[in-house]
Amino acid sequence: MSSRAESVPTEVLSDVAPSTTEFLAAVAARQLVGRHRVFAGVGLPTLAVELARRTTNPDVELVYESGICGAQPEGLAEGIADSVLVSGAAAALGMPALFGYVLQGGHVDVGFLGAAQVDRWGSLNTSFIGDWDQPTVRLPGAGGAAEIMPNAAECIVVLRRHDPGSLPAQLDFCTSPSPARAHAEDPRMVPPGHGVSTVITPMAVLHRPDKLGELVISEVHPGHTAEEVREATGWNIPVADDVRETRRPTAEEVRLLREEIDTVRLYLR
């Protein structure tokens, strides 16, 4: 037997830019380690869950707002009511049962939410941008987010932009209030869930460790600095004492996303 220690191959890291879907999906997938049931929409959340299932968390279970629980789709869904979601699913429930028993019953570990704006407390705007009477942009609205926010154990948000418009000091409209905002409105009101715990942007990963606290910069993506992230945020966001550089996706994670998960580039862009 050779006396020399055998070399252990190291993972090859990719060079995809932090603004790419591959980078954001890989970072989001890491947040799902140790989580079991994820309430998510289609798009980037689906990519993240599928990637986690093939790498760090094979037991993760996907729940869709249309009533599908334990989804194991044979292909990527184009909407929450896509028939492909029923293939291999553990159950197909009516929406009252899904929201009343699964979500409000405390059986969802992570809610994967989208937003146009996120404030320092983790409240979300998915309604409109601009003035109430004459908005410049009309958005889809709440969907199930108003129920997911207070009832999921925690929520993760992925933003495609990082600027004062998407992370403003004050939301143009509050569609989904965080536990902190709900508590401020009524001190007796403390929702069971943590609310938004993580926000992933093209520049950084923001965490909110305190249920009633603010977001802080915990990771900065390669090529960016904490000061750049602060300048691109609409309020004086704190920097964590142990802030670190975000680990790049591996070449294998990028390959899985491109060659096995989203081969037709339905969501990758």
Side-chain angles (χ1 to χ4, degrees):
M1 181 180 294
S2 172
S3 59
R4 293 188 303 172
E6 295 184 6
S7 61
V8 178
T10 58
E11 290 183 304
V12 177
L13 301 181
S14 74
D15 60 355
V16 294
S19 59
T20 62
T21 305
E22 290 90 341
F23 192 104
L24 297 173
V27 174
R30 294 174 200 157
Q31 311 299 320
L32 301 179
V33 173
R35 275 59 168 185
H36 174 55
R37 190 170 289 114
V38 180
F39 198 124
V42 295
L44 198 149
T46 299
L47 297 179
V49 172
E50 284 299 320
L51 183 59
R53 199 197 308 275
R54 295 164 190 249
T55 54
T56 60
N57 190 354
D59 297 322
V60 68
E61 180 180 299
L62 189 55
V63 177
Y64 282 98
E65 188 177 340
S66 53
I68 305 301
C69 296
Q72 301 278 346
E74 58 190 16
L76 281 181
E78 296 186 29
I80 61 170
D82 195 324
S83 60
V84 73
L85 295 175
V86 181
S87 60
L93 306 177
M95 292 184 67
L98 177 69
F99 281 88
Y101 295 108
V102 178
L103 181 58
Q104 294 179 6
H107 302 295
V108 172
D109 299 313
V110 176
F112 225 131
L113 302 176
Q117 293 181 325
V118 183
D119 71 7
R120 68 177 69 203
W121 311 107
S123 293
L124 309 181
N125 175 20
T126 54
S127 294
F128 64 85
I129 302 296
D131 181 71
W132 170 274
D133 295 318
Q134 293 184 317
T136 56
V137 179
R138 290 191 180 275
L139 302 166
E147 291 290 334
I148 297 169
M149 175 75 85
N151 291 295
E154 64 176 306
C155 294
I156 297 172
V157 175
V158 180
L159 295 177
R160 293 280 188 175
R161 298 164 43 200
H162 191 133
D163 55 37
S166 56
L167 291 156
Q170 182 173 340
L171 301 177
D172 289 0
F173 182 83
C174 181
T175 312
S176 304
S178 69
R181 181 159 182 157
H183 181 69
E185 291 289 333
D186 185 345
R188 299 169 298 175
M189 179 63 68
V190 181
H194 181 92
V196 172
S197 63
T198 307
V199 178
I200 302 166
T201 81
M203 296 181 70
V205 178
L206 316 178
H207 281 118
R208 202 172 61 88
D210 186 344
K211 183 173 181 175
L212 301 180
E214 298 185 30
L215 289 163
V216 301
I217 302 169
S218 59
E219 297 180 33
V220 177
H221 298 339
H224 296 287
T225 66
E227 188 56 35
E228 288 176 337
V229 175
R230 295 190 74 195
E231 291 177 357
T233 305
W235 69 90
N236 189 22
I237 186 170
V239 180
D241 293 336
D242 58 347
V243 65
R244 60 188 183 277
E245 183 174 88
T246 308
R247 185 171 179 269
R248 288 183 176 276
T250 67
E252 176 62 9
E253 288 173 327
V254 174
R255 187 196 70 78
L256 286 169
L257 287 166
R258 293 176 176 176
E259 299 181 15
E260 295 189 20
I261 296 174
D262 191 1
T263 58
V264 298
R265 301 191 75 84
L266 184 61
Y267 300 119
L268 290 176
R269 62 185 188 191

